[in-house]
Amino acid sequence: MPKKQAPQPQWVDPFSPAGLREATSKILTGMNYRLFYEDETRHKIIDTYRKLTELAKKYPHDDEKWKSAIKELVVEGSKEDARLRQWLIGLTKKTAENLGIKVSEYPSVFDRMMEKIEAMPEVHSREMALLLWCGSATLTIRGSQKSKVGKSLERSIAGAALTAIGLAESRGDFRLNILADEEVSRETDAEIRTPRRNFTPILPE
């Protein structure tokens, strides 16, 4: 008789309600929840690499035409393409801000990047540019994912922990994700039996 194949584990969206419950369970039981989110992060990184590689392959027989096409994206990219424009000059948003680089300066930064690459002996310009783009994209995506995971888990972990010790949100024992107001100047992850008169919860995105 043919051997039965082991069932394949089902993929769970880590940011879905079921995913957040699973991640919260891992955290509260001391398991490594980070690996649970790594597949999602890798998927985003690989998909971005694919798109950047397509840009690196444009006009394969004309390097000057290719460079002009990439620079046009740097110059005329929309606000929605802001991250791409930063990657194409070899930087992340944070690095560009730390260096004091204005959007209007992106084209000149791109020119300097390409001049530096082309001045290096035995270096293929497109391949080196692609490596710089991918490095910047990786930093951006990993930083963004880390922030997204933290924001997504705040409410879930606080709610689970407070419920585990016998409190109930439905009874008004605690409130989660409260915006700053005139009484408390900072955003609050959770408040237990707070006397605060007015509060606005932070709704999940």
Side-chain angles (χ1 to χ4, degrees), residues 7-58:
Q8 295 296 316
Q10 289 189 331
W11 180 79
V12 177
D13 178 357
F15 296 103
S16 68
L20 292 174
R21 286 194 295 271
E22 185 170 340
T24 300
S25 174
K26 291 179 183 296
I27 292 169
L28 296 180
T29 55
M31 297 177 67
N32 186 357
Y33 76 95
R34 294 176 181 86
L35 290 176
F36 183 60
Y37 286 93
E38 181 59 20
D39 284 346
E40 171 77 6
T41 302
R42 283 197 184 124
H43 175 78
K44 286 182 176 293
I45 290 173
I46 291 170
D47 186 56
T48 300
Y49 285 0
R50 178 183 59 79
K51 293 174 181 176
L52 292 174
T53 299
E54 289 174 359
L55 290 180
K57 290 180 177 179
K58 289 174 74 73

Side-chain angles (χ1 to χ4, degrees), residues 72-198:
E72 185 175 340
L73 291 175
V74 173
V75 173
E76 299 182 0
S78 65
K79 288 185 178 180
E80 289 75 18
D81 297 328
R83 293 202 305 183
L84 175 62
R85 296 173 74 187
Q86 290 150 4
W87 297 341
L88 293 179
I89 62 174
L91 301 175
T92 63
K93 178 182 178 181
K94 187 173 182 179
T95 303
E97 289 174 349
N98 289 342
L99 293 173
I101 298 173
K102 300 176 183 177
V103 175
S104 60
E105 297 176 299
Y106 284 6
S108 61
V109 174
F110 174 77
D111 288 339
R112 288 200 297 272
M113 181 188 79
M114 293 308 302
E115 287 170 5
K116 182 67 175 178
I117 291 173
E118 291 165 351
M120 300 177 71
E122 300 180 1
V123 168
H124 194 285
S125 299
R126 294 175 187 243
E127 292 177 356
M128 186 56 64
L130 178 59
L131 288 174
L132 289 172
W133 299 347
C134 289
S136 298
T138 301
L139 290 172
T140 299
I141 293 169
R142 286 203 173 277
S144 175
Q145 285 291 97
K146 184 178 179 181
S147 176
K148 184 178 179 181
V149 169
K151 283 289 185 183
S152 298
L153 287 174
E154 284 174 359
R155 181 182 178 89
S156 181
I157 294 171
L162 293 170
T163 300
I165 63 174
L167 301 179
E169 187 175 12
S170 60
R171 290 198 306 262
D173 293 339
F174 62 87
R175 297 166 176 171
L176 299 174
N177 290 38
I178 311 303
L179 289 172
D181 58 22
E182 67 275 6
E183 294 181 72
V184 180
S185 61
R186 294 189 62 182
E187 185 178 304
T188 307
D189 293 340
E191 289 185 350
I192 301 173
R193 297 196 177 102
T194 173
R196 191 196 300 225
R197 293 185 301 276
N198 301 310

